[in-house]
Amino acid sequence: MNSISATFTPDASGNSPKQTSTIPQLKLNDGTTIPMLGYGLGTANFKAASAKGKFDQNVVKYTKEAIAKGFRHLDGAEGKFYGNEEELGVAIKEGGVPREELYITTKLPAVEKTNTQERFDASLKKLGVDYVDLYLLHGPWFADGSEEALQRKWAEMEAIQASGRARSIGVSNFLQEHLEPILKTAKVVPAINQIEFHPYLQHGDLLAFHRAHGIAVAAYSPLAPLVRARGGPVDARWAELAAKYGVGEAEVGLRWCVDQGIVTLTTSSNAERMRRVVSLVPQFKLTPKEVEDVAELGKQKHFRAFWPDKFAADDRR
């Protein structure tokens, strides 16, 4: 397998952040490229059970603001946990940016007894687009440990890509034990695995496994140490680095992922925070030692923000 290649060197010389920048791109194993900073419609923008089926104009507002501030990678999902494809579709239509300049991700719910083609067709209709740039299988747990179920569902994902209506296909929330069965029979190696990733959840050898097989990694909840697990060992180091580079701790946390070649998803309803991500994160770079320092500090604490019912409480993978 070819290793993942990326270009994520700051455009400006030195480490002084500027207000405008170009978001770095990562080349995937299928030859396509993906913006390494994306606006996620999960976490902050997913719909609670009581709101399912109700159109949320705020999601449209925040997503249009993200586009206006420079985000071009928009990460949404169908089904139980996001339920905001319709809002994303309106934001795409009203955002003022041509479809071909956007990178759109959506996801297939991790349910075995669902018609993959019908769910995908429904997603395209809600989004109001002819194709998506990336289609992800949202989780492995539907298979209940069955290799055959994983392989069967992945073959259905491959058929979606073969139709030309999904440029790339991948998975989300998969561990090595879930990827290995797929790789045994796959005609198409997953382009990417989107996982919760931050200093307190580094997944052991999982990143090395991905790199060995040419599978990129996307991180969601990269700022968990800052917004969900304050008081941990990385706090002081992030603050020091923020002062050194003249940015905020959030930008340091995102850059820590980007500097490891990881596509990084973040979300906010605050326009100024959106602007800072797009304008500041591409304009500085942590040293390899700084990346390693944060990683070592992060290993002192374990924290998982999402899917605790699907993974063991002490699961550090």
Side-chain angles (χ1 to χ4, degrees):
M1 286 296 169
N2 293 328
S3 61
I4 298 297
S5 61
T7 53
F8 45 91
T9 301
D11 293 332
S13 59
N15 289 313
S16 177
K18 292 186 176 181
Q19 297 304 305
T20 59
S21 63
T22 300
I23 292 176
Q25 305 282 315
L26 182 73
K27 188 175 181 180
L28 301 178
N29 62 18
D30 57 12
T32 64
T33 58
I34 182 172
M36 293 190 71
L37 292 172
Y39 184 73
L41 277 79
T43 58
N45 292 324
F46 76 96
K47 292 182 181 177
S50 60
K52 292 295 186 291
K54 299 178 182 178
F55 189 86
D56 189 343
Q57 188 61 45
N58 279 332
V59 176
V60 178
K61 175 184 175 182
Y62 301 148
T63 307
K64 287 172 63 177
E65 189 68 59
I67 294 170
K69 290 296 180 286
F71 280 99
R72 294 295 179 264
H73 176 181
L74 307 174
D75 182 272
E78 190 266 358
K80 178 180 178 182
F81 296 102
Y82 290 39
N84 51 26
E85 282 182 322
E86 187 178 358
E87 289 86 346
L88 175 54
V90 173
I92 291 167
K93 182 178 179 180
E94 298 180 356
V97 173
R99 164 66 186 94
E100 59 270 17
E101 294 182 18
L102 296 174
Y103 190 99
I104 301 171
T105 299
T106 195
K107 305 176 184 73
L108 174 71
V111 180
E112 168 66 3
K113 295 181 180 179
T114 188
N115 186 304
T116 300
Q117 186 64 60
E118 289 181 0
R119 296 298 282 262
F120 180 70
D121 290 343
S123 289
L124 290 187
K125 184 176 181 180
K126 291 176 185 176
L127 291 168
V129 297
D130 296 326
Y131 71 95
V132 294
D133 297 276
L134 179 62
Y135 195 46
L136 301 178
L137 175 54
H138 210 164
W141 33 80
F142 69 88
D144 196 25
S146 167
E147 289 195 0
E148 292 78 10
L150 287 168
Q151 292 164 351
R152 182 166 56 249
K153 186 62 72 174
W154 184 248
E156 294 170 3
M157 295 288 288
E158 290 177 329
I160 296 292
Q161 186 187 37
S163 75
R165 296 192 295 163
R167 300 283 173 85
S168 300
I169 54 173
V171 297
S172 182
N173 300 301
F174 274 52
L175 302 177
Q176 181 173 336
E177 65 200 57
H178 309 119
L179 287 165
E180 287 176 335
I182 285 177
L183 293 174
K184 288 179 182 178
T185 59
K187 297 177 181 177
V188 176
V189 174
I192 199 164
N193 184 14
Q194 185 183 120
I195 56 177
E196 180 180 342
F197 184 86
H198 48 74
Y200 300 149
L201 189 61
Q202 298 182 54
H203 296 273
D205 297 329
L206 186 59
L207 264 63
F209 177 85
H210 283 81
R211 288 167 180 149
H213 291 274
I215 302 170
V217 173
Y220 67 82
S221 197
L223 299 180
L226 184 64
V227 299
R228 295 175 178 271
R230 270 289 196 184
V234 305
D235 288 19
R237 188 61 175 138
W238 276 15
E240 290 172 359
L241 292 170
K244 173 182 176 180
Y245 291 108
V247 298
E249 294 170 59
E251 288 79 56
V252 170
L254 298 176
R255 189 72 216 191
W256 182 75
C257 292
V258 172
D259 282 329
Q260 296 180 75
I262 296 171
V263 175
T264 307
L265 304 172
T266 188
T267 189
S268 177
S269 60
N270 184 290
E272 173 59 15
R273 290 174 186 162
M274 296 178 193
R275 183 198 66 78
R276 289 178 63 86
V277 170
V278 173
S279 64
L280 299 184
V281 174
Q283 294 302 318
F284 74 103
K285 183 176 175 66
L286 301 177
T287 68
K289 184 178 186 305
E290 289 166 347
V291 171
E292 182 59 28
D293 286 348
V294 172
E296 288 303 312
L297 288 168
K299 292 175 183 178
Q300 298 175 21
K301 179 175 180 174
H302 174 64
F303 176 79
R304 180 187 284 278
F306 294 94
W307 307 105
D309 59 324
K310 303 298 185 183
F311 298 96
D314 63 348
D315 180 10
R316 295 176 179 270
R317 294 175 297 172

